[in-house]
Each structure stands twice: as structure tokens, then as C-alpha cells.
Amino acid sequence: MNTAGHPESTARRGLELTPFRGLRYDPDRVGSLAAVTSPPYDVVVRPDGVHHLQDADPYNIVRLILPQADSPDARNEQAAKTLRRWLSEGVLTTDPEPGLYVYEQRDGEGMLQRGVIGALRVSEPSEGLVLPHEDVMPHVVADRAALMRATSANLEPLLLTYRGNGTAADTTSVIERTIEGPPLLATTTEDGFSHRLWSITDPADLARIQSDLTNRQALIADGHHRWATYRRLRAEHTAPSPWDYGLVLLVDTARYPLRVRAIHRLLHGVPVPEALAALDGLFRVRRLDVPLAEALETLADAACVGNAYLLAGDGAFHLVDRPDAALLTRTVPTDRPAAWRTLDATVLHATLLAHVWHIPEDDPTRIAYIHDTAATVGKAERDGGTAVLMHPVREDVVRDLARQGVTMPRKSTSFGPKPASGLVLRTLDL
């Protein structure tokens, strides 16, 4: 590994978002732009979601972000060959000049998000510019790094947020002026979200955005593993190189607040009765014979008081709350702030997974992390496992802990809406 080109820096250079020549689907070569998109790789429920997306269109981006083969090396080689073939066939084409991209998502319930996609300089943790709030799983970082090496591409942007002034600052003014023109693409995906993309190539507009972002600090809302991957790959290449940058979507949450949702757990091979039996005398357990929506309301009420979870998979919901105080004292580390020690995710990982159920949090054969609530319950019922449903954490708690340098347990939050994969890619060969 060559790190000579990347000495640890303590100088604050600011967020550096640079233009790039986006790689995009030629709409004349695919069935529809909606049919070739995908949720981010870690949101796709496997294998069901992968098969559904592959069937949607032969050029669906899932064939690049989640290639299917018998071994990791074969998967990555397949993704690289697929990308090269699509480029040679003109299925994917490169925009003629570098630019930043305004990306808009809108749903039918009034949710509107706009941000800027660009290549962000990969900074060192000591610079304090990009704040993680969750731990990562090393095997996932290794997997993503191998895929990026094989394809020499950033296949999907991660989601970063920052807090602007809440006014029409330079970035916002450029965004709002840009969307008055015709978009490069517009499509509506099957989840009901409409997506539009514009390019920004005017030097003055690019300079305004870059000047504005110099004074900002970003929080990783979604994509901790991809950011860790960017950092690993940057360290492997002598500077300067295209690997000094990674594809991101930056959203000003003072202007466009995100939704914060929970990420749920699926315990493989653990039937609900077995999971509940282990809680005897340690947590209060109440059976709820109600629909999912009502069960989640009950969970929300309980989470206002203390740590609470829903267990499902046997046709009912079981509210698990009121943990034994002595149990928490024995199992939850005391070397971090109270706001961290009392997180539902902290108690889940430090107490339930490690000491009650004895399930390693990073063993994919024992536990899965799923964003969709109904999908988590459905898979538990089909597979005979246990779904552990979580209540979301507030964004201000996440941001405050991140600013203190305290990371939350892995897969603690799900910020959204997440950018659709497949609308714009970045190849590092250009």
C-alpha cells in the first residue's frame, strides 16, 4: 500500500466539491430510466430485491452494484466486464464536459429534497470536515473496495448533509436558478418518487458553490462504508489521482430536512420463542396482536420512556422494553456520553446481541440489516427467524454525537430519501 502521497494533514482546507464528467444511461438504449435504477446497494433486500431489479431491465444498475457470481472475485470481475460492455455498446455515455449535478427527489406526500452531486475531496478524520456517526463493518468495506478497484468507478453517490444558513445562500441560489431550466433526465420510480437531474457547468456558478462549501462541515447521512472505502482506496494511490475524490450528494438540511428512519435487524436461525425466552427476567415483554402500523405506534410511545424494541416473525408483535438496570450497568460501556449509552442501538448491540442472544453483529450468516420494516417482518416469518424492529433516532442527537467524535453502533440510522443508484456514475479512468 502506498501512502507516501497522503501525509496526515491538520490544516483545514474545507469541503472541496469538484466537477466531473458524469456517466449516464442513454435513454434511447434502455427500456426506461426508472427500470435501470436501484436503491443503494445496502438497501436492496437480498436475494429477493436483486432478482426483482435484474428482471426489471437487462441494464439495471444492480448488475454493477450487486453482481451475482459464485465468488467475490468472480462477482467483481463480472461487474467490471459488464461496465466495459455497456460503455462499448453506448448504453452508458459520458457527459461532454465536467460539471456538478443538481439532483431533486419528490414524493406524493410533500417530501422535497434537492442537493448537489459532485466529486468530494476525501479528507482525513483529523480535518473534521466529514463526520461519521456510525461504526463500519470491515468485511463490507473490503467488499466495496474490491468492487471499486475492479470497475475503477464510483457506481453510486453516498449522502452527506450540511447545515446552511437556512437562507438563499450561494449554493441554494445556484440550485434554484438551475432547476428553472430543462433537466437532463426526469423519471418516476416504482416507490412513487420522482427524480430530476440538471448539470451545472458555468464557471461562475461552480465557483459560488465551491466557495460556499469551503465553510461547511458535512455529516455522513448514508454511506459510511463507501466513505471508509474512499479513504482506503485513496491511501493506496499516490497523489494526485482521481482516487483523491469520491462521488457524493450534498444536501443542506436547513433548507431540505431529511427523514430519519430506523434500520432493523433480522436474526437468522433464531425463532421468536427462543429469542423471547432469553429475555425472561431481563426485559418486560408484551404480546401485541395488532397490525404493523399500530405496533409501531406502541413502540414509538415506549421509546419515549426508555429502550424499546419490537420482535416479530411468529405472526404477532412483541414489545420488549424496561431493561433491567443492573443488566445495563454490567453490559453497556461507560466510557462514552450518556446520550450514547442510552441509545436503543447501543443497548441492542452491547446488551441484547452480545450478552443475551450471543450473536456477532458483523456475522452476515447470523444477522442481517434491513431498512424496510414490512420486508424485515416478512423475511422473518418466511425464514423462521426473528425481526428486531427499531425506533428512529432524532437527527440532532446523531449530529451532536458526531461532533463529539462519538460513533453510534453500526446501522443505527437511515436518513432519507436516499439517492437512487443509476442516475449518474463517476468513472476514474477519465
Side-chain angles (χ1 to χ4, degrees):
M1 179 180 295
N2 188 341
T3 58
H6 300 284
E8 188 78 11
S9 172
T10 56
R12 184 181 177 88
R13 294 171 57 184
L15 295 175
E16 296 179 19
L17 193 68
T18 66
F20 69 104
R21 292 178 64 195
L23 192 63
R24 297 189 294 112
Y25 282 99
D26 181 343
D28 295 329
R29 297 296 308 274
V30 297
S32 75
L33 290 174
V36 296
T37 65
S38 164
Y41 79 97
D42 58 337
V43 180
V44 177
V45 178
R46 286 164 265 190
D48 313 31
V50 174
H51 294 153
H52 172 74
L53 291 164
Q54 286 180 334
D55 292 343
D57 191 283
Y59 299 116
N60 189 283
I61 191 69
V62 77
R63 296 177 187 274
L64 299 182
I65 64 175
L66 289 173
Q68 301 299 295
D70 293 334
S71 71
D73 287 345
R75 289 195 293 270
N76 296 329
E77 183 180 352
Q78 178 176 296
K81 287 181 178 178
T82 300
L83 178 58
R84 288 195 296 269
R85 185 174 73 253
W86 291 358
L87 285 167
S88 65
E89 293 175 353
V91 173
L92 288 170
T93 60
T94 307
D95 283 335
E97 57 182 318
L100 299 176
Y101 295 84
V102 173
Y103 177 46
E104 175 190 276
Q105 291 170 278
R106 188 191 299 265
D107 69 5
E109 301 173 0
M111 178 72 186
L112 172 64
Q113 177 177 288
R114 293 188 184 118
V116 179
I117 295 175
L120 184 72
R121 181 179 68 86
V122 180
S123 57
E124 297 291 345
S126 59
E127 296 178 75
L129 296 175
V130 177
L131 303 177
H133 69 266
E134 289 181 355
D135 293 331
V136 297
M137 292 176 270
H139 75 276
V140 177
V141 176
D143 174 74
R144 291 293 101 185
L147 178 63
M148 286 191 203
R149 286 190 204 98
T151 57
S152 194
N154 299 152
L155 300 173
E156 46 185 348
L158 55 84
L159 175 61
L160 302 181
T161 71
Y162 68 97
R163 300 289 292 177
N165 301 323
T167 60
D170 282 340
T171 298
T172 300
S173 65
V174 173
I175 288 174
E176 294 185 350
R177 187 169 64 254
T178 301
I179 64 170
E180 294 176 358
L184 295 175
L185 64 85
T187 190
T188 300
T189 44
E190 63 180 8
D191 58 6
F193 271 90
S194 66
H195 308 263
R196 296 197 293 172
L197 193 75
W198 296 260
S199 65
I200 303 172
T201 57
D202 179 77
D205 285 340
L206 295 173
R208 288 189 189 95
I209 292 174
Q210 290 166 331
S211 175
D212 179 34
L213 293 177
T214 297
N215 303 312
R216 308 298 179 194
Q217 180 184 55
L219 175 74
I220 302 176
D222 185 70
H224 283 80
H225 290 91
R226 279 166 283 170
W227 182 254
T229 299
Y230 290 166
R231 292 198 62 243
R232 174 181 292 193
L233 294 173
R234 173 181 180 264
E236 294 175 2
H237 295 81
T238 302
S241 84
W243 299 94
D244 294 345
Y245 298 84
L247 188 63
V248 307
L249 166 64
L250 267 169
V251 174
D252 177 1
T253 53
R255 189 77 171 181
Y256 300 106
L258 272 65
R259 293 171 177 157
V260 186
R261 291 177 172 156
I263 302 175
H264 310 296
R265 277 66 171 161
L266 175 62
L267 311 183
H268 297 305
V270 182
V272 174
E274 181 180 322
L276 292 174
L279 301 177
D280 187 36
L282 302 177
F283 284 75
R284 183 177 71 167
V285 179
R286 287 181 287 161
R287 180 184 175 98
L288 306 175
D289 289 301
V290 298
L292 174 58
E294 189 173 333
L296 291 173
E297 290 177 3
T298 304
L299 173 63
D301 292 339
C304 292
V305 180
N307 300 120
Y309 315 88
L310 281 177
L311 269 56
D314 62 348
F317 297 98
H318 306 268
L319 180 67
V320 175
D321 65 353
R322 298 189 183 179
D324 176 67
L327 173 69
L328 299 185
T329 300
R330 290 197 311 272
T331 57
V332 176
T334 59
D335 59 345
R336 273 162 275 192
W340 179 89
R341 297 196 304 271
T342 55
L343 288 170
D344 288 336
T346 297
V347 173
L348 172 63
H349 284 250
T351 303
L352 285 168
L353 293 179
H355 290 274
V356 176
W357 292 323
H358 305 289
I359 296 175
E361 62 181 13
D362 57 354
D363 184 350
T365 67
R366 302 288 304 281
I367 186 170
Y369 298 83
I370 304 178
H371 294 69
D372 185 274
T373 309
T376 311
V377 175
K379 284 191 69 65
E381 292 177 344
R382 289 193 302 274
D383 301 344
T386 295
V388 183
L389 305 183
M390 310 276 289
H391 185 67
V393 185
R394 299 193 320 273
E395 182 185 358
D396 61 317
V397 173
V398 176
R399 194 175 292 275
D400 287 346
L401 285 172
R403 283 177 174 156
Q404 295 177 60
V406 178
T407 55
M408 300 165 66
R410 57 198 61 178
K411 299 293 183 181
S412 294
T413 58
S414 175
F415 284 84
K418 303 177 190 305
S421 299
L423 296 179
V424 61
L425 293 64
R426 173 178 176 253
T427 177
L428 283 79
D429 290 335
L430 289 176

